[in-house]
Amino acid sequence: MTAGISLDRLRYVFITHHHSDHNLEYGALLYNASATGKPIQVDAYGPMGLKKLTQDFFEYEKFDIEIRLADEGGVDPRTQIAVHEFDQPGLVMQIQSVKVTSCRVQHPPITQSYAYRFDANDRSIVISGDTAYCPELAGFAKGADVLVHEAMYLPAIEKLIREIPSATRLRQHLLAAHTSTEDVGKIATQAGVKTLVLSHLVPGDDPSITDEQWSEGARKYFKGRIIVGKDLMEI
Ligand SMILES: [Zn+2]
Ligand SMILES: [Zn+2]
């Protein structure tokens, strides 16, 4: 909505994995798109669990959905969503203007975590999802115009750990499941992409880390264009 995109234009949703920071607003997004009152048809793609997540969301809102249908009429939102699950990497969907493929990435303890590649007629974009250093991703992103990759700034992790009580386990999770800015640079160079966009920044709530600091690790290994991703940024 803030990007100025009318919700009834929502057509496809791609979920990379089922951590809550990636699917928490999924149900609300579908329901809000349906609530515009304009006809919508959404195809949602993601790893196993997406069907249950979708059903459970509509179950959670069952009272509201049914009372509105009886009272206000309109279209049942449950009929406007088609869910497509997968448990193997490969072709996700293809239409005339774009082909979408997936690559399994390393995000332990989750085994069903995927990157997506969007090959359109005029450009190719790869989104890493959440992953630790993953050489397969470099092959998957080969020759893409833009690689949007998650990034973790190691010097700030220690500071973050000190501020959070359950620190030891969190540190283990972060190091095992995410990619340092240096390793992101290596992946971008191995893939031969033109532009690297750092996204899903860990820590994501520390304004003292400058764009220069976010970029410097990747720049040691990658000589292309580096952009530090911000919400609502258009590239
Ligand atoms: Zn995750
Ligand atoms: Zn995440």
Side-chain angles (χ1 to χ4, degrees):
M1 293 295 283
T2 314
I5 296 167
S6 169
L7 273 181
D8 61 281
R9 286 179 54 206
L10 181 68
R11 183 67 186 85
Y12 299 101
V13 176
F14 298 91
I15 299 285
T16 58
H17 66 298
H18 294 301
H19 265 146
S20 56
D21 57 313
H22 296 260
N23 66 18
L24 196 60
E25 288 90 21
Y26 163 74
L29 176 66
L30 299 179
Y31 201 3
N32 276 324
S34 170
T36 60
K38 294 178 184 158
I40 60 158
Q41 179 57 51
V42 178
D43 286 277
Y45 299 84
M48 301 304 285
L50 189 60
K51 279 189 178 152
K52 181 164 176 5
L53 190 81
T54 310
Q55 284 161 3
D56 286 356
F57 172 78
F58 286 126
E59 191 61 27
Y60 166 84
E61 284 295 351
K62 189 168 193 274
F63 173 83
D64 176 87
I65 291 167
E66 291 180 357
I67 208 161
R68 282 186 193 278
L69 283 172
D71 184 36
E72 302 170 25
V75 183
D76 188 333
R78 294 168 292 198
T79 64
Q80 296 177 302
I81 320 295
V83 181
H84 313 270
E85 285 183 338
F86 53 86
D87 62 1
Q88 294 294 326
L91 180 67
V92 175
M93 64 85 88
Q94 186 162 20
I95 53 174
Q96 201 195 352
S97 55
V98 65
K99 180 171 106 175
V100 184
T101 48
S102 70
C103 166
R104 190 177 294 174
V105 289
Q106 296 171 19
H107 193 44
I110 292 180
T111 55
Q112 291 284 316
S113 188
Y114 293 89
Y116 286 113
R117 178 171 179 135
F118 300 84
D119 287 299
N121 298 328
D122 60 343
R123 74 197 75 174
S124 296
I125 299 163
V126 173
I127 295 172
S128 72
D130 283 12
T131 182
Y133 178 68
C134 180
E136 297 87 344
L137 182 59
F140 179 69
K142 201 81 191 166
D145 297 287
V146 178
L147 170 63
V148 181
H149 201 298
E150 71 131 84
M152 175 172 57
Y153 184 61
L154 292 177
I157 295 301
E158 292 305 323
K159 182 166 168 258
L160 175 80
I161 298 294
R162 281 198 300 273
E163 290 164 0
I164 297 174
S166 57
T168 318
R169 294 282 301 274
L170 179 67
R171 179 210 260 119
Q172 285 169 3
H173 163 76
L174 290 175
L175 295 179
H178 295 285
T179 309
S180 70
T181 52
E182 282 81 2
D183 283 344
V184 176
K186 291 178 194 168
I187 295 288
T189 290
Q190 288 162 24
V193 297
K194 297 190 184 103
T195 298
L196 170 64
V197 181
L198 303 178
S199 180
H200 193 285
L201 306 177
V202 181
D205 57 354
D206 186 345
S208 74
I209 309 169
T210 63
D211 283 6
E212 180 48 38
Q213 287 174 307
W214 278 113
S215 306
E216 65 191 0
R219 195 172 293 120
K220 285 182 207 159
Y221 299 95
F222 177 66
K223 300 306 166 202
R225 180 184 182 210
I226 300 175
I227 295 171
V228 181
K230 306 269 179 3
D231 285 350
L232 301 172
M233 184 181 259
E234 239 177 89
I235 296 164

